[in-house]
Amino acid sequence: MTKTITFAILHFSVAFTVTYLLTGSAVIGGAIALIEPAVNTIVFYFHEKVWQRVERSPSHSDSEASLEAIA
């Protein structure tokens, strides 16, 4: 849990700093730093769902077997 919290702080800090440097506004920097991680979390959820389907697909297993045969 500590790793998750420290990553969230790091993510917030980067988002705020980049936005502040681009706009010069602490208010906009703070808003983006709060909104962007929330949106990113939702996108990541759907990204994981797609990858779960890819990993379960028969063609994915065939591709992995081909790569293992090469190695």
Side-chain angles (χ1 to χ4, degrees):
M1 186 62 155
T2 301
K3 184 177 178 182
T4 301
I5 292 169
T6 57
F7 180 77
I9 292 168
L10 181 65
H11 193 153
F12 176 86
S13 300
V14 169
F16 175 82
T17 302
V18 168
T19 305
Y20 178 74
L21 291 174
L22 290 172
T23 66
S25 170
V27 173
I28 294 173
I32 295 297
L34 293 174
I35 294 168
E36 188 275 336
V39 171
N40 204 11
T41 299
I42 294 166
V43 169
F44 181 76
Y45 171 81
F46 289 106
H47 177 264
E48 284 296 307
K49 290 289 190 187
V50 169
W51 271 106
Q52 287 173 0
R53 285 187 181 166
V54 168
E55 290 174 344
R56 287 192 308 253
S57 72
S59 62
H60 179 73
S61 298
D62 294 342
S63 299
E64 283 183 349
S66 297
L67 290 174
E68 288 174 4
I70 294 170

